[in-house]
Amino acid sequence: SDLSFLFGSKPSKTDTIPSKESSPTATPILYSPSEEEINALASNYCEQRKVISRVYPVPIKKESSGKTEYEVTDDSRKAGSSLTSGDCQTIIEYLVWMKNKAFPVADINIENIIDRKYWIGMNVAELMASVGWPSDINTTNYGAGKTEQWVYYKDSSRIDALMIYLEEGKVTSYQDF
């Protein structure tokens, strides 16, 4: 399945965020890590996943008309143990892009994502960058919307699992067995 709608191939939002004073010309404070900081974050991201077989999305960076967008498909993912330093750098650059452009009103916590943490309220893109592609997705349609249960098996016996519940693309709860 193509998940590009979650990762940047949607209409872009404006580059400004109204300040609390509602100034129409307010400019957001952009998160602008140096190349050295990005390399350090990328190295840490790879280090946290080097022995993990779970699959992580590696966004494909696309430039057009001076705009940067990212796309993630089934073909653009790799096991944590197979991630290269270049893959991890692309992932960190994508997270910085998300923080600044894609979801400027959300507080994308890159350090928590690097540490493979999950929390209520995180979006699908954050979840996949943090915990990876789920082993299974169970969907419930209850008429007015749908909920999803993302299952992350911890071992080959498929008994121990992390279950993360989403509604409208946001984590609403989780269970760790």
Side-chain angles (χ1 to χ4, degrees), residues 51-63:
V51 295
I52 296 178
S53 60
R54 185 168 292 145
V55 175
Y56 294 88
V58 180
I60 300 166
K61 186 175 183 176
K62 296 184 174 204
E63 305 269 349

Side-chain angles (χ1 to χ4, degrees), residues 87-134:
D87 293 334
C88 292
Q89 185 164 350
T90 298
I91 291 167
I92 296 300
E93 289 170 353
Y94 164 67
L95 293 171
V96 169
W97 173 82
M98 274 192 1
K99 187 175 183 83
N100 290 329
K101 301 286 184 188
F103 302 101
V105 295
D107 183 22
I108 308 292
N109 189 319
I110 294 174
E111 289 77 18
N112 281 347
I113 291 170
I114 289 171
D115 290 339
R116 300 186 332 233
K117 293 181 181 175
Y118 45 91
W119 57 93
I120 293 173
M122 73 188 310
N123 65 50
V124 171
E126 292 173 297
L127 179 61
M128 292 182 84
S130 183
V131 185
W133 221 275

Side-chain angles (χ1 to χ4, degrees), residues 3 40 44 48 54 66 75 84 98 114 124 164 170 175:
L3 297 173
N44 193 6
Q48 292 285 334
R54 185 168 292 145
D75 295 333
T84 66
M98 274 192 1
I114 289 171
V124 171
I164 299 183
K170 296 276 187 192
Q175 294 177 302

